[in-house]
Amino acid sequence: NARPETTTEDMELVDILEASGGVAKISSVGRVARQARKAAREGWVIRPLPRIVMTTDAVRRPDAWMRAVMLWRPNAIFTGRAALYLAGMRDVDVTEIDVIIPHAMPRLPRRSWLRFHRAGRESIIDDRNGFRTTHAYTCFWLALRGDWEAATASLRAGWVSPEELRDARRRLARKVSPGTTKEVLRQLLDRPWSVAERELHALLHEYRVNGWRANERLWINGRVLFPDLWFKHEKVIVEVDGYTFHGKPRDYEMTARRHALLAGAGWRVIRVTPMMIREAPELVLDTIRSALWRRHQGVLVPV
């Protein structure tokens, strides 16, 4: 709904909202509170949380909902994609805002963008980054819930270390079964930087193809590269070429130059696509096996 003409009576609330990006915390009594109730009846503000007022323009912005939570509960703990966004990953697609609240608080229903999760005292709070959770905890939390697109984005950004992931697993172990956290940790420690790379890792594990590393530093003629997956002894590299990172003309050119550099240094480069991994896994396996020594080729049937 369009905001009505500003009157002298409305001026104070309007000024507060315009100065605060469309989201503000107000008193529960007094003149501004009365203005907020009137504005809500007229349909140009909503009351998403106790004592929080938000304009209908701000409702469509995830950052406005995050600010609403921070104003409502300054000690709120964000996790999931919202935590990545607050940490600076602005290109992440935030469709839900996950907030951890203490068990002692009343159970809250889901509100538009907000999804609440109850937990005890969280020892993972880290105020230095302004989003009150660690990168590793967020990454592990996303992976546990099957959001591997966001979890691998966190790995690709280089925000977490193996030691931090192991620590996050210990913190989450009391909430999730040990078997589940152990398997998720193994997949995270494989360092997939995309969903397709994770699927390739799973395929190689299933058929016991070993001896590989993923997204680790490799020096080639004085340059540092991070191949998607590589076998050191055989000097074989497997690159997963998806449209997300290789679809633009400049990206395609850089990929071609990268492969030329590797080939010139004696490395064999095998290129596969996400669709090949999903629809023709046998072709991917056969192509990789053909370049490997027998001890790394794995079994012929899954175990």
Side-chain angles (χ1 to χ4, degrees):
N1 296 328
R3 190 172 67 188
E5 273 188 39
T6 302
T7 65
T8 304
E9 181 183 359
D10 296 324
M11 184 65 72
E12 190 173 354
L13 176 62
V14 170
D15 288 345
I16 291 172
L17 288 170
E18 288 184 350
S20 58
V23 184
K25 184 176 183 179
I26 63 171
S27 173
S28 58
V29 296
R31 178 182 174 186
V32 176
R34 291 193 299 272
Q35 293 174 10
R37 288 192 290 270
K38 179 173 180 275
R41 289 194 300 270
E42 293 174 349
W44 65 273
V45 303
I46 66 167
R47 308 291 295 272
L49 292 164
R51 296 179 60 187
I52 304 300
V53 178
M54 180 186 297
T55 66
T56 50
D57 289 337
V59 166
R60 296 186 290 271
R61 304 197 328 260
D63 61 300
W65 284 92
M66 295 178 209
R67 175 167 169 74
V69 172
M70 293 175 186
L71 291 171
W72 170 63
R73 283 288 185 273
N75 61 347
I77 301 172
F78 291 92
T79 188
R81 291 184 174 227
L84 296 184
Y85 181 91
L86 290 170
M89 195 177 291
R90 290 295 189 262
D91 58 345
V92 67
D93 184 19
V94 180
T95 55
E96 294 176 324
I97 298 169
D98 294 289
V99 184
I100 299 174
I101 59 175
H103 276 303
M105 286 187 61
R107 186 175 297 277
L108 295 171
R110 178 168 179 165
R111 305 184 185 201
S112 188
W113 293 71
L114 304 180
R115 183 168 59 177
F116 297 100
H117 307 272
R118 298 167 66 83
R121 184 180 179 86
E122 292 294 328
S123 59
I124 47 79
I125 293 174
D126 182 358
D127 281 323
R128 290 175 302 170
N129 296 314
F131 58 96
R132 300 186 62 77
T133 188
T134 65
H135 294 311
Y137 185 93
T138 297
C139 180
F140 214 119
W141 193 94
L142 286 162
L144 280 172
R145 282 155 181 78
D147 190 351
W148 282 98
E149 181 182 1
T152 55
S154 182
L155 294 173
R156 188 169 63 250
W159 286 352
V160 296
S161 68
E163 295 73 21
E164 290 168 338
L165 287 170
R166 292 186 179 95
D167 182 64
R169 184 209 171 191
R170 287 192 293 270
R171 298 179 188 280
L172 286 159
R174 63 183 181 275
K175 304 174 186 178
V176 186
S177 69
T180 299
T181 58
K182 180 179 179 181
E183 174 59 22
V184 168
L185 177 63
R186 181 189 67 75
Q187 294 182 54
L188 290 171
L189 292 179
D190 281 342
R191 297 167 58 92
W193 284 6
S194 68
V195 173
E197 288 181 29
R198 172 180 171 261
E199 293 169 350
L200 176 60
H201 297 174
L203 182 65
L204 297 180
H205 280 300
E206 182 181 10
Y207 286 84
R208 293 185 178 178
V209 177
N210 52 41
W212 50 270
R213 303 178 184 180
N215 294 305
E216 291 190 14
R217 183 182 290 105
L218 178 65
W219 287 91
I220 301 291
N221 297 336
R223 291 183 55 183
V224 177
L225 302 179
F226 290 86
D228 294 342
L229 188 144
W230 51 288
F231 296 82
K232 178 179 179 180
H233 296 292
E234 290 96 342
K235 297 194 73 173
V236 171
I237 286 174
V238 182
E239 295 277 55
V240 181
D241 292 344
Y243 287 109
T244 303
F245 304 108
H246 304 276
K248 297 179 181 178
R250 178 172 174 78
D251 296 332
Y252 184 83
E253 177 69 20
M254 293 301 295
T255 298
R257 293 189 183 193
R258 170 188 171 106
H259 289 179
L261 179 66
L262 290 167
W267 287 80
R268 176 177 176 182
V269 180
I270 297 172
R271 302 175 65 178
V272 300
T273 67
M275 188 172 293
M276 287 173 63
I277 297 169
R278 293 161 193 160
E279 298 184 359
E282 299 86 357
L283 174 61
V284 173
L285 279 169
D286 290 344
T287 304
I288 295 174
R289 280 198 186 112
S290 68
L292 300 180
W293 297 342
R294 183 173 296 277
R295 67 190 180 96
H296 288 166
Q297 287 184 357
V299 295
L300 296 178
V301 293
V303 293

